[in-house]
Structure formats: C-alpha cells, structure tokens
Amino acid sequence: MNWIGNIITILLSTFTGWVTTWIAIKMLFHPRRPIKILGLTIQGIFPKNQRLIAEKLGQVVGKELLSFEEIEQKVTNPENLQKLRPDIEHHIDHFLRIKLLEVFPMLSMLIGEKTILQLKEAFLLELETLFPVLMKSYMIKLEEDLDLEKIVTEKVAAFSFEKLEDILNQITKKEFKFLEFIGGFFGLLIGIIQVVVALLMK
C-alpha cells in the first residue's frame, strides 16, 4: 500500500505548487484595501503601488510613447499638406469664384479665369510656406497647455481597483494561467523527487 502514500505525496506536492502560485498571483491585486494582521499591514501589490504605477506609466507615455517632438514631426510633415491639398484647393476655388464675388460683385468684371487660377496658385504656394510654421507654433502652445504625463498619471491613479485588476487581467490572463501551470508542474516534479529520494533511502 506504500504506492498510495507515494501518489498522495505527489498529488499534495502538485496541489501545493499550484495553490502557492495561485495565491501569489491573487496577492498582486488582493486585498484591495490595507488589512492589519498581527501588526503587519497587508495589501495587494498593484493597489498598494497604484499611484507609483500611474506616475511611471505617465512618464513612459509622455516621454517615450507619445512625445510632442514626434507628434510635431508628423503634423508639420509637408506630405500632410499634400494630402489635404485637394480639399484646400476646392475651398480656395469656391472662395475666389463665389464668396469673394458675393461680397464684391464688381470684381466679376475684373477677375477672369486666368486671374482666378493665378490667385489660387499664389494662395497654395503661400500656404505651403505658412503651414509648417503655423503647426509648429500650435504644437508649442499645445505642449504648454497639455501635460500628457500628468493626464495619464491622473487617469490611471483614478482607476478603481476593480478596473485596474480587470485591465491587467485582460493583458496578462494567459500568462497568469501559464504561471499556475508552472507552479503545479514544479510541485509535481518536487513530489516525484521526494518519493524517489524516500525510495532510495530505504
């Protein structure tokens, strides 16, 4: 009947490995509120460090993932103006042919098709020069008014513990399950080693 004891040892060791890992994962999020036990304050790692996590995430987003320098380079890229050129040209054409003549009807006698085309081309050339300057100026003002690091930090810090746990679980659910499997596997391995050692020492 000794083999029953060996199987029980292996099963207990497997269960211990799995449940230990499961508890360790749960303690990342629980308890959500500080609990005092025998003078010790216990709280989940993420709830306890939520503000610090929020600050670090804010720094990463504000300085590395979404820097204003990169945004400025994208916005002021001349290719963007070329993508907008058909729409801009349409509005300029509408302005010169209709709106301007509605305000100054007498101009219809002075402005012909050739003049309209020349004016439109002049406006577009001026816009090509002006666009990067205006967008750069706008980005400088936007950077002064919009603190990405602060916004991200405050948003993450304001998350409820439940929402924070849900977000992290969505990201790492598979990894947590794998860790539980690994915990059980190593428990199984340790159980087998214990049984083998016990048999060899007889």
Side-chain angles (χ1 to χ4, degrees):
M1 295 297 289
N2 194 40
W3 63 271
I4 295 177
N6 292 338
I7 290 174
I8 290 172
T9 299
I10 292 171
L11 289 176
L12 282 175
S13 182
T14 302
F15 177 75
T16 301
W18 171 79
V19 81
T20 302
T21 306
W22 181 83
I23 290 170
I25 292 170
K26 287 297 177 184
M27 287 185 69
L28 292 172
F29 308 102
H30 301 274
R32 290 170 178 157
R33 305 289 176 186
I35 297 174
K36 286 190 178 292
I37 301 175
L38 301 174
L40 295 174
T41 302
I42 300 174
Q43 187 179 11
I45 293 172
F46 286 117
K48 184 179 180 180
N49 297 284
Q50 185 171 357
R51 184 71 198 183
L52 181 61
I53 293 169
E55 289 174 358
K56 294 296 182 183
L57 188 59
Q59 289 172 9
V60 171
V61 173
K63 293 178 181 177
E64 296 180 34
L65 295 182
L66 199 63
S67 69
F68 272 98
E69 289 181 5
E70 291 179 357
I71 296 172
E72 183 182 318
Q73 288 174 4
K74 293 286 185 183
V75 171
T76 57
N77 191 324
E79 290 181 5
N80 290 326
L81 182 62
Q82 294 305 315
K83 291 175 184 176
L84 294 171
R85 187 182 173 102
D87 290 329
I88 295 170
E89 193 170 342
H90 173 74
H91 283 288
I92 292 174
D93 195 65
H94 180 73
F95 172 77
L96 291 173
R97 294 179 185 278
I98 298 172
K99 289 201 169 184
L100 186 62
L101 298 180
E102 284 177 356
V103 178
F104 303 105
M106 294 294 291
L107 285 177
S108 61
M109 300 172 61
L110 304 172
I111 297 179
E113 183 65 23
K114 184 178 178 181
T115 305
I116 288 174
L117 292 175
Q118 288 174 336
L119 285 170
K120 186 164 66 173
E121 192 61 33
F123 282 145
L124 288 168
L125 286 172
E126 183 63 24
L127 190 60
E128 285 180 8
T129 305
L130 195 58
F131 179 77
V133 177
L134 285 174
M135 294 311 297
K136 190 175 181 66
S137 176
Y138 172 72
M139 288 304 300
I140 291 171
K141 287 184 174 63
L142 187 62
E143 187 172 5
E144 291 172 356
D145 298 336
L146 194 64
D147 189 339
L148 287 176
E149 184 177 331
K150 185 179 178 183
I151 290 171
V152 173
T153 298
E154 289 178 351
K155 287 285 186 183
V156 175
F159 283 164
S160 65
F161 295 144
E162 292 82 1
K163 187 172 183 179
L164 182 63
E165 181 178 356
D166 184 54
I167 291 170
L168 292 171
N169 269 325
Q170 287 178 26
I171 298 169
T172 58
K173 187 176 182 179
K174 290 182 180 178
E175 286 74 13
F176 286 159
K177 289 294 181 185
F178 179 71
L179 286 175
E180 288 178 27
F181 170 78
I182 291 294
F185 174 77
F186 277 111
L188 173 66
L189 198 60
I190 291 168
I192 293 170
I193 291 170
Q194 285 177 329
V195 169
V196 170
V197 171
L199 290 173
L200 290 175
M201 291 182 67
K202 286 186 177 181

PDB file of all heavy atoms in Angstrom, residues 156-187:
ATOM      1  N   VAL A 156      -4.856  57.019 -14.600  1.00  0.00           N
ATOM      2  CA  VAL A 156      -4.561  55.685 -14.065  1.00  0.00           C
ATOM      3  C   VAL A 156      -4.729  55.667 -12.549  1.00  0.00           C
ATOM      4  O   VAL A 156      -5.262  54.707 -11.987  1.00  0.00           O
ATOM      5  CB  VAL A 156      -3.134  55.244 -14.457  1.00  0.00           C
ATOM      6  CG1 VAL A 156      -2.789  53.908 -13.806  1.00  0.00           C
ATOM      7  CG2 VAL A 156      -3.004  55.138 -15.971  1.00  0.00           C
ATOM      8  N   ALA A 157      -4.292  56.736 -11.888  1.00  0.00           N
ATOM      9  CA  ALA A 157      -4.416  56.814 -10.431  1.00  0.00           C
ATOM     10  C   ALA A 157      -5.880  56.840  -9.995  1.00  0.00           C
ATOM     11  O   ALA A 157      -6.216  56.398  -8.891  1.00  0.00           O
ATOM     12  CB  ALA A 157      -3.690  58.047  -9.904  1.00  0.00           C
ATOM     13  N   ALA A 158      -6.751  57.344 -10.869  1.00  0.00           N
ATOM     14  CA  ALA A 158      -8.170  57.460 -10.536  1.00  0.00           C
ATOM     15  C   ALA A 158      -8.951  56.168 -10.812  1.00  0.00           C
ATOM     16  O   ALA A 158     -10.106  56.054 -10.424  1.00  0.00           O
ATOM     17  CB  ALA A 158      -8.800  58.609 -11.321  1.00  0.00           C
ATOM     18  N   PHE A 159      -8.301  55.200 -11.485  1.00  0.00           N
ATOM     19  CA  PHE A 159      -8.976  53.928 -11.743  1.00  0.00           C
ATOM     20  C   PHE A 159      -9.369  53.267 -10.429  1.00  0.00           C
ATOM     21  O   PHE A 159      -8.611  53.298  -9.459  1.00  0.00           O
ATOM     22  CB  PHE A 159      -8.060  52.961 -12.504  1.00  0.00           C
ATOM     23  CG  PHE A 159      -7.917  53.253 -13.970  1.00  0.00           C
ATOM     24  CD1 PHE A 159      -6.888  52.679 -14.702  1.00  0.00           C
ATOM     25  CD2 PHE A 159      -8.804  54.089 -14.626  1.00  0.00           C
ATOM     26  CE1 PHE A 159      -6.741  52.937 -16.055  1.00  0.00           C
ATOM     27  CE2 PHE A 159      -8.665  54.356 -15.986  1.00  0.00           C
ATOM     28  CZ  PHE A 159      -7.632  53.779 -16.694  1.00  0.00           C
ATOM     29  N   SER A 160     -10.536  52.655 -10.423  1.00  0.00           N
ATOM     30  CA  SER A 160     -10.904  51.847  -9.261  1.00  0.00           C
ATOM     31  C   SER A 160     -10.019  50.607  -9.258  1.00  0.00           C
ATOM     32  O   SER A 160      -9.510  50.182 -10.300  1.00  0.00           O
ATOM     33  CB  SER A 160     -12.378  51.439  -9.339  1.00  0.00           C
ATOM     34  OG  SER A 160     -12.591  50.575 -10.446  1.00  0.00           O
ATOM     35  N   PHE A 161      -9.823  50.005  -8.088  1.00  0.00           N
ATOM     36  CA  PHE A 161      -9.007  48.798  -8.009  1.00  0.00           C
ATOM     37  C   PHE A 161      -9.592  47.700  -8.881  1.00  0.00           C
ATOM     38  O   PHE A 161      -8.860  46.916  -9.486  1.00  0.00           O
ATOM     39  CB  PHE A 161      -8.904  48.322  -6.554  1.00  0.00           C
ATOM     40  CG  PHE A 161      -8.170  49.275  -5.643  1.00  0.00           C
ATOM     41  CD1 PHE A 161      -8.572  49.441  -4.330  1.00  0.00           C
ATOM     42  CD2 PHE A 161      -7.089  49.994  -6.105  1.00  0.00           C
ATOM     43  CE1 PHE A 161      -7.895  50.316  -3.487  1.00  0.00           C
ATOM     44  CE2 PHE A 161      -6.402  50.875  -5.281  1.00  0.00           C
ATOM     45  CZ  PHE A 161      -6.810  51.044  -3.964  1.00  0.00           C
ATOM     46  N   GLU A 162     -10.932  47.645  -8.955  1.00  0.00           N
ATOM     47  CA  GLU A 162     -11.604  46.632  -9.774  1.00  0.00           C
ATOM     48  C   GLU A 162     -11.265  46.812 -11.252  1.00  0.00           C
ATOM     49  O   GLU A 162     -10.977  45.850 -11.966  1.00  0.00           O
ATOM     50  CB  GLU A 162     -13.124  46.703  -9.584  1.00  0.00           C
ATOM     51  CG  GLU A 162     -13.603  46.286  -8.211  1.00  0.00           C
ATOM     52  CD  GLU A 162     -13.490  47.403  -7.173  1.00  0.00           C
ATOM     53  OE1 GLU A 162     -13.043  48.520  -7.541  1.00  0.00           O
ATOM     54  OE2 GLU A 162     -13.831  47.163  -6.015  1.00  0.00           O
ATOM     55  N   LYS A 163     -11.283  48.070 -11.711  1.00  0.00           N
ATOM     56  CA  LYS A 163     -10.990  48.351 -13.116  1.00  0.00           C
ATOM     57  C   LYS A 163      -9.526  48.067 -13.426  1.00  0.00           C
ATOM     58  O   LYS A 163      -9.204  47.517 -14.484  1.00  0.00           O
ATOM     59  CB  LYS A 163     -11.318  49.816 -13.430  1.00  0.00           C
ATOM     60  CG  LYS A 163     -11.192  50.144 -14.923  1.00  0.00           C
ATOM     61  CD  LYS A 163     -11.711  51.532 -15.236  1.00  0.00           C
ATOM     62  CE  LYS A 163     -11.655  51.816 -16.731  1.00  0.00           C
ATOM     63  NZ  LYS A 163     -12.168  53.148 -17.079  1.00  0.00           N
ATOM     64  N   LEU A 164      -8.635  48.439 -12.488  1.00  0.00           N
ATOM     65  CA  LEU A 164      -7.213  48.192 -12.682  1.00  0.00           C
ATOM     66  C   LEU A 164      -6.949  46.692 -12.781  1.00  0.00           C
ATOM     67  O   LEU A 164      -6.206  46.246 -13.661  1.00  0.00           O
ATOM     68  CB  LEU A 164      -6.417  48.792 -11.516  1.00  0.00           C
ATOM     69  CG  LEU A 164      -4.891  48.669 -11.594  1.00  0.00           C
ATOM     70  CD1 LEU A 164      -4.351  49.430 -12.800  1.00  0.00           C
ATOM     71  CD2 LEU A 164      -4.244  49.187 -10.318  1.00  0.00           C
ATOM     72  N   GLU A 165      -7.590  45.924 -11.902  1.00  0.00           N
ATOM     73  CA  GLU A 165      -7.424  44.461 -11.931  1.00  0.00           C
ATOM     74  C   GLU A 165      -7.958  43.903 -13.241  1.00  0.00           C
ATOM     75  O   GLU A 165      -7.334  43.023 -13.849  1.00  0.00           O
ATOM     76  CB  GLU A 165      -8.152  43.828 -10.749  1.00  0.00           C
ATOM     77  CG  GLU A 165      -8.003  42.314 -10.705  1.00  0.00           C
ATOM     78  CD  GLU A 165      -8.695  41.686  -9.507  1.00  0.00           C
ATOM     79  OE1 GLU A 165      -9.226  42.438  -8.659  1.00  0.00           O
ATOM     80  OE2 GLU A 165      -8.713  40.441  -9.436  1.00  0.00           O
ATOM     81  N   ASP A 166      -9.106  44.395 -13.685  1.00  0.00           N
ATOM     82  CA  ASP A 166      -9.714  43.913 -14.925  1.00  0.00           C
ATOM     83  C   ASP A 166      -8.808  44.192 -16.120  1.00  0.00           C
ATOM     84  O   ASP A 166      -8.620  43.327 -16.981  1.00  0.00           O
ATOM     85  CB  ASP A 166     -11.073  44.592 -15.123  1.00  0.00           C
ATOM     86  CG  ASP A 166     -11.798  44.057 -16.356  1.00  0.00           C
ATOM     87  OD1 ASP A 166     -11.969  42.827 -16.454  1.00  0.00           O
ATOM     88  OD2 ASP A 166     -12.160  44.866 -17.227  1.00  0.00           O
ATOM     89  N   ILE A 167      -8.224  45.402 -16.185  1.00  0.00           N
ATOM     90  CA  ILE A 167      -7.329  45.764 -17.294  1.00  0.00           C
ATOM     91  C   ILE A 167      -6.095  44.865 -17.311  1.00  0.00           C
ATOM     92  O   ILE A 167      -5.712  44.320 -18.356  1.00  0.00           O
ATOM     93  CB  ILE A 167      -6.900  47.244 -17.186  1.00  0.00           C
ATOM     94  CG1 ILE A 167      -8.102  48.161 -17.457  1.00  0.00           C
ATOM     95  CG2 ILE A 167      -5.771  47.558 -18.164  1.00  0.00           C
ATOM     96  CD1 ILE A 167      -7.844  49.617 -17.144  1.00  0.00           C
ATOM     97  N   LEU A 168      -5.476  44.697 -16.144  1.00  0.00           N
ATOM     98  CA  LEU A 168      -4.260  43.880 -16.066  1.00  0.00           C
ATOM     99  C   LEU A 168      -4.560  42.412 -16.335  1.00  0.00           C
ATOM    100  O   LEU A 168      -3.752  41.710 -16.946  1.00  0.00           O
ATOM    101  CB  LEU A 168      -3.609  44.052 -14.691  1.00  0.00           C
ATOM    102  CG  LEU A 168      -3.027  45.443 -14.417  1.00  0.00           C
ATOM    103  CD1 LEU A 168      -2.606  45.579 -12.968  1.00  0.00           C
ATOM    104  CD2 LEU A 168      -1.833  45.724 -15.327  1.00  0.00           C
ATOM    105  N   ASN A 169      -5.732  41.945 -15.906  1.00  0.00           N
ATOM    106  CA  ASN A 169      -6.118  40.558 -16.174  1.00  0.00           C
ATOM    107  C   ASN A 169      -6.326  40.322 -17.663  1.00  0.00           C
ATOM    108  O   ASN A 169      -5.984  39.263 -18.196  1.00  0.00           O
ATOM    109  CB  ASN A 169      -7.394  40.197 -15.412  1.00  0.00           C
ATOM    110  CG  ASN A 169      -7.085  39.601 -14.044  1.00  0.00           C
ATOM    111  OD1 ASN A 169      -6.101  38.890 -13.882  1.00  0.00           O
ATOM    112  ND2 ASN A 169      -7.904  39.910 -13.063  1.00  0.00           N
ATOM    113  N   GLN A 170      -6.914  41.319 -18.344  1.00  0.00           N
ATOM    114  CA  GLN A 170      -7.124  41.201 -19.790  1.00  0.00           C
ATOM    115  C   GLN A 170      -5.794  41.075 -20.523  1.00  0.00           C
ATOM    116  O   GLN A 170      -5.680  40.353 -21.522  1.00  0.00           O
ATOM    117  CB  GLN A 170      -7.892  42.418 -20.305  1.00  0.00           C
ATOM    118  CG  GLN A 170      -9.369  42.424 -19.926  1.00  0.00           C
ATOM    119  CD  GLN A 170     -10.073  43.676 -20.416  1.00  0.00           C
ATOM    120  OE1 GLN A 170      -9.664  44.289 -21.397  1.00  0.00           O
ATOM    121  NE2 GLN A 170     -11.126  44.086 -19.731  1.00  0.00           N
ATOM    122  N   ILE A 171      -4.791  41.796 -20.029  1.00  0.00           N
ATOM    123  CA  ILE A 171      -3.478  41.800 -20.679  1.00  0.00           C
ATOM    124  C   ILE A 171      -2.691  40.531 -20.368  1.00  0.00           C
ATOM    125  O   ILE A 171      -2.027  39.962 -21.233  1.00  0.00           O
ATOM    126  CB  ILE A 171      -2.666  43.045 -20.239  1.00  0.00           C
ATOM    127  CG1 ILE A 171      -3.382  44.329 -20.671  1.00  0.00           C
ATOM    128  CG2 ILE A 171      -1.248  43.004 -20.810  1.00  0.00           C
ATOM    129  CD1 ILE A 171      -2.802  45.584 -20.073  1.00  0.00           C
ATOM    130  N   THR A 172      -2.763  40.072 -19.102  1.00  0.00           N
ATOM    131  CA  THR A 172      -1.874  39.003 -18.639  1.00  0.00           C
ATOM    132  C   THR A 172      -2.596  37.709 -18.255  1.00  0.00           C
ATOM    133  O   THR A 172      -2.003  36.853 -17.604  1.00  0.00           O
ATOM    134  CB  THR A 172      -1.073  39.503 -17.418  1.00  0.00           C
ATOM    135  OG1 THR A 172      -2.006  39.913 -16.387  1.00  0.00           O
ATOM    136  CG2 THR A 172      -0.191  40.679 -17.773  1.00  0.00           C
ATOM    137  N   LYS A 173      -3.855  37.559 -18.658  1.00  0.00           N
ATOM    138  CA  LYS A 173      -4.633  36.380 -18.258  1.00  0.00           C
ATOM    139  C   LYS A 173      -3.935  35.076 -18.652  1.00  0.00           C
ATOM    140  O   LYS A 173      -3.809  34.146 -17.845  1.00  0.00           O
ATOM    141  CB  LYS A 173      -6.029  36.446 -18.884  1.00  0.00           C
ATOM    142  CG  LYS A 173      -6.963  35.359 -18.393  1.00  0.00           C
ATOM    143  CD  LYS A 173      -8.363  35.541 -18.980  1.00  0.00           C
ATOM    144  CE  LYS A 173      -9.316  34.466 -18.442  1.00  0.00           C
ATOM    145  NZ  LYS A 173     -10.690  34.636 -18.989  1.00  0.00           N
ATOM    146  N   LYS A 174      -3.484  34.978 -19.892  1.00  0.00           N
ATOM    147  CA  LYS A 174      -2.819  33.763 -20.369  1.00  0.00           C
ATOM    148  C   LYS A 174      -1.526  33.503 -19.611  1.00  0.00           C
ATOM    149  O   LYS A 174      -1.201  32.364 -19.273  1.00  0.00           O
ATOM    150  CB  LYS A 174      -2.542  33.868 -21.876  1.00  0.00           C
ATOM    151  CG  LYS A 174      -3.788  33.797 -22.745  1.00  0.00           C
ATOM    152  CD  LYS A 174      -3.432  33.852 -24.210  1.00  0.00           C
ATOM    153  CE  LYS A 174      -4.688  33.769 -25.089  1.00  0.00           C
ATOM    154  NZ  LYS A 174      -4.363  33.874 -26.532  1.00  0.00           N
ATOM    155  N   GLU A 175      -0.778  34.586 -19.343  1.00  0.00           N
ATOM    156  CA  GLU A 175       0.485  34.449 -18.622  1.00  0.00           C
ATOM    157  C   GLU A 175       0.263  33.961 -17.197  1.00  0.00           C
ATOM    158  O   GLU A 175       1.025  33.132 -16.687  1.00  0.00           O
ATOM    159  CB  GLU A 175       1.239  35.790 -18.606  1.00  0.00           C
ATOM    160  CG  GLU A 175       1.891  36.185 -19.924  1.00  0.00           C
ATOM    161  CD  GLU A 175       0.889  36.656 -20.973  1.00  0.00           C
ATOM    162  OE1 GLU A 175      -0.276  36.915 -20.601  1.00  0.00           O
ATOM    163  OE2 GLU A 175       1.268  36.762 -22.146  1.00  0.00           O
ATOM    164  N   PHE A 176      -0.811  34.484 -16.550  1.00  0.00           N
ATOM    165  CA  PHE A 176      -1.131  34.042 -15.187  1.00  0.00           C
ATOM    166  C   PHE A 176      -1.488  32.555 -15.170  1.00  0.00           C
ATOM    167  O   PHE A 176      -1.074  31.818 -14.274  1.00  0.00           O
ATOM    168  CB  PHE A 176      -2.272  34.867 -14.605  1.00  0.00           C
ATOM    169  CG  PHE A 176      -1.879  36.265 -14.198  1.00  0.00           C
ATOM    170  CD1 PHE A 176      -2.841  37.259 -14.075  1.00  0.00           C
ATOM    171  CD2 PHE A 176      -0.558  36.599 -13.941  1.00  0.00           C
ATOM    172  CE1 PHE A 176      -2.484  38.555 -13.693  1.00  0.00           C
ATOM    173  CE2 PHE A 176      -0.189  37.886 -13.576  1.00  0.00           C
ATOM    174  CZ  PHE A 176      -1.152  38.865 -13.451  1.00  0.00           C
ATOM    175  N   LYS A 177      -2.272  32.120 -16.161  1.00  0.00           N
ATOM    176  CA  LYS A 177      -2.646  30.711 -16.246  1.00  0.00           C
ATOM    177  C   LYS A 177      -1.403  29.842 -16.453  1.00  0.00           C
ATOM    178  O   LYS A 177      -1.291  28.743 -15.885  1.00  0.00           O
ATOM    179  CB  LYS A 177      -3.631  30.488 -17.402  1.00  0.00           C
ATOM    180  CG  LYS A 177      -5.029  31.044 -17.159  1.00  0.00           C
ATOM    181  CD  LYS A 177      -5.730  30.307 -16.031  1.00  0.00           C
ATOM    182  CE  LYS A 177      -7.145  30.847 -15.808  1.00  0.00           C
ATOM    183  NZ  LYS A 177      -7.777  30.200 -14.632  1.00  0.00           N
ATOM    184  N   PHE A 178      -0.477  30.334 -17.266  1.00  0.00           N
ATOM    185  CA  PHE A 178       0.762  29.596 -17.521  1.00  0.00           C
ATOM    186  C   PHE A 178       1.589  29.487 -16.238  1.00  0.00           C
ATOM    187  O   PHE A 178       2.178  28.433 -15.959  1.00  0.00           O
ATOM    188  CB  PHE A 178       1.567  30.295 -18.616  1.00  0.00           C
ATOM    189  CG  PHE A 178       2.870  29.617 -18.933  1.00  0.00           C
ATOM    190  CD1 PHE A 178       2.888  28.401 -19.601  1.00  0.00           C
ATOM    191  CD2 PHE A 178       4.074  30.193 -18.565  1.00  0.00           C
ATOM    192  CE1 PHE A 178       4.091  27.764 -19.885  1.00  0.00           C
ATOM    193  CE2 PHE A 178       5.277  29.560 -18.851  1.00  0.00           C
ATOM    194  CZ  PHE A 178       5.288  28.344 -19.510  1.00  0.00           C
ATOM    195  N   LEU A 179       1.619  30.602 -15.456  1.00  0.00           N
ATOM    196  CA  LEU A 179       2.358  30.576 -14.187  1.00  0.00           C
ATOM    197  C   LEU A 179       1.748  29.554 -13.220  1.00  0.00           C
ATOM    198  O   LEU A 179       2.476  28.857 -12.503  1.00  0.00           O
ATOM    199  CB  LEU A 179       2.362  31.963 -13.548  1.00  0.00           C
ATOM    200  CG  LEU A 179       3.264  33.011 -14.195  1.00  0.00           C
ATOM    201  CD1 LEU A 179       3.070  34.371 -13.531  1.00  0.00           C
ATOM    202  CD2 LEU A 179       4.739  32.595 -14.110  1.00  0.00           C
ATOM    203  N   GLU A 180       0.413  29.484 -13.198  1.00  0.00           N
ATOM    204  CA  GLU A 180      -0.252  28.497 -12.344  1.00  0.00           C
ATOM    205  C   GLU A 180       0.135  27.076 -12.786  1.00  0.00           C
ATOM    206  O   GLU A 180       0.388  26.210 -11.940  1.00  0.00           O
ATOM    207  CB  GLU A 180      -1.768  28.671 -12.428  1.00  0.00           C
ATOM    208  CG  GLU A 180      -2.290  29.918 -11.734  1.00  0.00           C
ATOM    209  CD  GLU A 180      -3.803  30.068 -11.884  1.00  0.00           C
ATOM    210  OE1 GLU A 180      -4.491  29.042 -12.050  1.00  0.00           O
ATOM    211  OE2 GLU A 180      -4.287  31.216 -11.848  1.00  0.00           O
ATOM    212  N   PHE A 181       0.178  26.867 -14.093  1.00  0.00           N
ATOM    213  CA  PHE A 181       0.573  25.559 -14.632  1.00  0.00           C
ATOM    214  C   PHE A 181       2.015  25.237 -14.232  1.00  0.00           C
ATOM    215  O   PHE A 181       2.319  24.114 -13.818  1.00  0.00           O
ATOM    216  CB  PHE A 181       0.434  25.558 -16.159  1.00  0.00           C
ATOM    217  CG  PHE A 181       1.047  24.356 -16.822  1.00  0.00           C
ATOM    218  CD1 PHE A 181       0.390  23.135 -16.819  1.00  0.00           C
ATOM    219  CD2 PHE A 181       2.298  24.452 -17.431  1.00  0.00           C
ATOM    220  CE1 PHE A 181       0.973  22.015 -17.421  1.00  0.00           C
ATOM    221  CE2 PHE A 181       2.877  23.343 -18.024  1.00  0.00           C
ATOM    222  CZ  PHE A 181       2.217  22.119 -18.023  1.00  0.00           C
ATOM    223  N   ILE A 182       2.896  26.221 -14.361  1.00  0.00           N
ATOM    224  CA  ILE A 182       4.302  26.024 -13.995  1.00  0.00           C
ATOM    225  C   ILE A 182       4.426  25.691 -12.515  1.00  0.00           C
ATOM    226  O   ILE A 182       5.220  24.833 -12.112  1.00  0.00           O
ATOM    227  CB  ILE A 182       5.137  27.280 -14.342  1.00  0.00           C
ATOM    228  CG1 ILE A 182       5.249  27.433 -15.865  1.00  0.00           C
ATOM    229  CG2 ILE A 182       6.525  27.226 -13.706  1.00  0.00           C
ATOM    230  CD1 ILE A 182       6.040  26.331 -16.544  1.00  0.00           C
ATOM    231  N   GLY A 183       3.632  26.412 -11.669  1.00  0.00           N
ATOM    232  CA  GLY A 183       3.655  26.138 -10.230  1.00  0.00           C
ATOM    233  C   GLY A 183       3.253  24.706  -9.938  1.00  0.00           C
ATOM    234  O   GLY A 183       3.903  24.011  -9.136  1.00  0.00           O
ATOM    235  N   GLY A 184       2.181  24.260 -10.599  1.00  0.00           N
ATOM    236  CA  GLY A 184       1.737  22.872 -10.428  1.00  0.00           C
ATOM    237  C   GLY A 184       2.766  21.880 -10.951  1.00  0.00           C
ATOM    238  O   GLY A 184       3.017  20.826 -10.327  1.00  0.00           O
ATOM    239  N   PHE A 185       3.399  22.206 -12.081  1.00  0.00           N
ATOM    240  CA  PHE A 185       4.396  21.314 -12.678  1.00  0.00           C
ATOM    241  C   PHE A 185       5.601  21.137 -11.763  1.00  0.00           C
ATOM    242  O   PHE A 185       6.070  20.013 -11.541  1.00  0.00           O
ATOM    243  CB  PHE A 185       4.841  21.870 -14.035  1.00  0.00           C
ATOM    244  CG  PHE A 185       5.968  21.106 -14.659  1.00  0.00           C
ATOM    245  CD1 PHE A 185       5.733  19.879 -15.273  1.00  0.00           C
ATOM    246  CD2 PHE A 185       7.261  21.598 -14.613  1.00  0.00           C
ATOM    247  CE1 PHE A 185       6.781  19.153 -15.836  1.00  0.00           C
ATOM    248  CE2 PHE A 185       8.316  20.880 -15.172  1.00  0.00           C
ATOM    249  CZ  PHE A 185       8.074  19.660 -15.788  1.00  0.00           C
ATOM    250  N   PHE A 186       6.091  22.258 -11.215  1.00  0.00           N
ATOM    251  CA  PHE A 186       7.248  22.159 -10.318  1.00  0.00           C
ATOM    252  C   PHE A 186       6.875  21.448  -9.017  1.00  0.00           C
ATOM    253  O   PHE A 186       7.691  20.745  -8.416  1.00  0.00           O
ATOM    254  CB  PHE A 186       7.828  23.545 -10.023  1.00  0.00           C
ATOM    255  CG  PHE A 186       8.758  24.026 -11.094  1.00  0.00           C
ATOM    256  CD1 PHE A 186       8.407  25.081 -11.924  1.00  0.00           C
ATOM    257  CD2 PHE A 186       9.985  23.417 -11.313  1.00  0.00           C
ATOM    258  CE1 PHE A 186       9.250  25.517 -12.929  1.00  0.00           C
ATOM    259  CE2 PHE A 186      10.843  23.854 -12.306  1.00  0.00           C
ATOM    260  CZ  PHE A 186      10.472  24.904 -13.132  1.00  0.00           C
ATOM    261  N   GLY A 187       5.613  21.650  -8.577  1.00  0.00           N
ATOM    262  CA  GLY A 187       5.140  20.907  -7.410  1.00  0.00           C
ATOM    263  C   GLY A 187       5.155  19.417  -7.677  1.00  0.00           C
ATOM    264  O   GLY A 187       5.576  18.614  -6.830  1.00  0.00           O
TER     265      GLY A 187
END
